[in-house]
Structures are given as structure tokens and as C-alpha cells.
Amino acid sequence: MLLVGISYIVRPQTDMKERFAGFYSEDKNTIDAVVIGPSSVSPLVAAPYIWNEYGITVYPLSTNAQPVASAKYIIEEAMKTQPDTLFIVDVTMFMVEPETLLTEARIRNVVDNMKYSFTRIRAINEMVEDSSQRIDYYFDISKYHSVILDEGGITAENLKYFNFETSSVYKGYLFVEAVDIFDPVEVSGIVEESTIPQGAEEELINLIEYCDANNANVLFMVCPYIATEQNKKEHNYIKRIVEEKGYDFIDFNNLYDQMHIDFGKDFYNANHMNVYGAEKFSLYLGQYLTEDYLLEDKRGDEKYSSWDTSYEAWSAQAEITKEKTDENLEKITKR
């Protein structure tokens, strides 16, 4: 038990560690929806904002360049405490060769931010092909133990993670001050399809079969980004597979106008939205989940008071971030 606790403490202090430990700290059966996907998810899903507007609890469980093979293990882990939650899976990670995502850093972004469990072991076994290297993943303290000896290595912030259950101030949201300007795109009229890598398709079907076997409630989506014609054709291909298997699918790149996206302000690069875009997306997502999934408004319920506190903190930081984003945008326009 001491070894496990120390392992949690010395794991790197990243937004992903805060996000996963924050999820573990949430009370059982209190999360309405869990969003799984790559780095585009964390600065996009403004969970406290959704709570304030609709009274529903949405939590992002994203990691940078998330390996597709990890999705089912994140679902399995989340279902231990939130068995009835709706899982929302961003399918953009199925548009690349799965092997390219199986680097040590990307695997560790997932497994080094999970509690020690058999689920974690199975995730490691699947994603780490060389069995001789798995021991360093099973016991990640072997990689991070030097933090104990480094001057200033262990801080009060580290110590909070002894049981890997530490509340996330912004409920997993990641603030980004960057901004970039893009020309408007329109892809909603594209109906043709284009195949995705074969390995990615196999992983997608594998995930769907896992969801079938475990009665997981899943919505597949495509996060809004600067999509090309080729991208949209791949979205359509994935959509057909998903819907033929009986699952819901929504491509938010068909909804730029409905979300009132400003291509000159709402993105910080072609694949990620900033706080301005996050508010627009989150407002639409909250309404969609409320209307299509009939999620209950829980505002005023004392059991969810931490969400009110989180919104207050999120709202204050959002104003600061917007000011800095505006300053960055002004610098760009003056170039």
C-alpha cells in the first residue's frame, strides 16, 4: 500500500494527472457523461459551464494523443464508479494508424494516470508489445522514483495524490490562452466516404463489440476542428460503421453555424478550440444531452455543491483567460 501511495505521489504533475485523480474523487453515480478522446477534448469540454447552464455533470477523461486501444479500458475504469454514465467518444483518434499512437509517452499518459488495478494491467499488456518492458509500466515508480531525491521534488501538491483522489478545480477542463485565425470552412454538404486505416477500423469495431458486451451507453462524436474535405469523408465512413452497429453519432463539424463558431477567434490551432470555442461547443453539447438523453437538471441539490464551487472558479479563470486571449489575438492581427 505504501508503494502504491508513493507511486501516485511521484507521478508527474500534469493536467492529465489532475484530470484523472479528479474523476476518481467524484462521488459514485454522480457523473452523467464521460468524454473520452485526445488532447482536443480537455480545452473543449467546459464541464463547469455545462453544469451552470443545464445542471448536468459532464467529465472529460482525455489524454494527449490518446491511443485508441486505451478507450475500452478507460470506459471499464470509469464504469467502476459511474456504471450508468453516458460515454462520449471522440472518433478522430481512429483516423490515424493505431501504431503511431503507441509510443511510451502516449501510453503512459493513460496508464500512469490510472489507479493500480487489473484493468490497468490489461491496458498495459495490450499496448506494450514487448513483455520485457511491461514491468516498468506496472510499477511506474521505477521511472519516477528520482523525484524523491530531487531537491524540491516532493511538494505539498504531490502529497495530495497519495490515494489518487484529488478534486479537479475545473472538473478536468484545461484553460488555453492561445488563439489563431482561420478561414471559415464548410464541410456539412460532403456525403462521400473515405476509408480509415485498417488497423484503426479494427480497433473501432473492437471498441464497439466491447461496449456491446458490457452494455455501455455510448455516443460517438467528432469534435469541431478545421476539417478538410478528406477529413469529412473519413467522418462519414466512421459514422456509417457506428450507426450500422446501433450507436448514435454526431459530427460537430456539420454544426459550425448552429454553434455560431467564429473561425477568427474560437480556435488556438487547427485541431483545438480555446475558451471562446469551448463555451459555444459546451452550450450546444449541454442542450443536446439534455434534450436527446433526457438528463436531469440537478442544480440546487446539495449532493452536487462541488459543481457550483467549480463553476465559480471556472468563471473567474475564464474571464482572465479571455483577456489574455484577446491580447494574443490583437498581436496576431497587428503582424
Side-chain angles (χ1 to χ4, degrees), residues 218-229:
V218 184
L219 164 66
F220 292 88
M221 75 164 180
V222 186
C223 285
Y225 66 106
I226 308 300
T228 66
E229 180 178 341

Side-chain angles (χ1 to χ4, degrees), residues 100-281:
T100 64
L101 300 175
L102 292 177
T103 64
E104 179 180 1
R106 290 162 178 172
I107 295 171
R108 286 191 179 278
N109 283 341
V110 177
V111 299
D112 288 1
N113 289 301
M114 295 173 70
K115 284 189 174 185
Y116 276 41
S117 68
F118 289 114
T119 302
R120 181 176 179 272
I121 290 173
R122 290 197 302 275
I124 292 169
N125 288 347
E126 179 168 344
M127 291 189 286
V128 181
E129 184 176 0
D130 186 346
S131 59
S132 67
Q133 296 180 2
R134 292 174 186 165
I135 190 69
D136 287 335
Y137 289 85
Y138 297 150
F139 301 102
D140 47 306
I141 192 173
S142 65
K143 183 175 180 64
Y144 306 122
H145 68 276
S146 61
V147 174
I148 300 172
L149 304 177
D150 292 343
E151 184 177 350
I154 299 294
T155 67
E157 184 67 19
N158 292 91
L159 293 174
K160 293 193 306 183
Y161 289 89
F162 185 81
N163 66 349
F164 220 67
E165 294 182 16
T166 302
S167 179
S168 169
V169 176
Y170 308 126
K171 302 295 186 182
Y173 182 75
L174 176 66
F175 280 103
V176 178
E177 300 168 2
V179 62
D180 206 347
I181 300 173
F182 296 92
D183 293 327
V185 298
E186 177 54 60
V187 294
S188 61
I190 298 172
V191 297
E192 296 84 5
E193 296 182 1
S194 183
T195 59
I196 57 177
Q198 181 178 353
E201 183 172 343
E202 292 172 356
E203 288 285 3
L204 175 60
I205 293 174
N206 185 25
L207 173 60
I208 291 172
E209 291 176 348
Y210 171 85
C211 294
D212 287 341
N214 291 274
N215 296 315
N217 188 17
V218 184
L219 164 66
F220 292 88
M221 75 164 180
V222 186
C223 285
Y225 66 106
I226 308 300
T228 66
E229 180 178 341
Q230 176 62 25
N231 294 151
K232 187 61 174 70
K233 290 178 180 179
E234 292 172 356
H235 301 173
N236 294 341
Y237 185 81
I238 295 173
K239 178 178 185 290
R240 180 171 56 79
I241 293 174
V242 167
E243 291 185 339
E244 285 179 351
K245 297 293 185 179
Y247 288 86
D248 292 335
F249 182 97
I250 182 169
D251 185 349
F252 284 98
N253 296 279
N254 291 338
L255 304 168
Y256 296 138
D257 289 342
Q258 291 90 326
M259 291 186 289
H260 307 292
I261 298 302
D262 182 346
F263 290 91
K265 191 174 183 177
D266 294 344
F267 293 85
Y268 76 84
N269 63 29
N271 295 314
H272 299 79
M273 288 191 133
N274 57 31
V275 65
Y276 284 112
E279 284 191 342
K280 294 175 181 179
F281 169 83

Side-chain angles (χ1 to χ4, degrees), residues 28-89:
K28 292 183 177 181
N29 301 308
T30 59
I31 303 298
D32 292 314
V34 171
V35 186
I36 296 173
S39 60
S40 55
V41 169
S42 53
L44 178 68
V45 181
Y49 184 64
I50 297 173
W51 164 260
N52 186 69
E53 296 297 318
Y54 297 101
I56 61 176
T57 54
V58 181
Y59 201 102
L61 277 180
S62 61
T63 61
N64 298 340
Q66 192 169 97
V68 293
S70 70
K72 58 181 175 290
Y73 298 107
I74 297 174
I75 290 175
E76 181 176 317
E77 191 70 4
M79 288 183 74
K80 293 176 182 178
T81 57
Q82 312 295 334
D84 299 322
T85 194
L86 168 69
F87 291 98
I88 306 174
V89 178

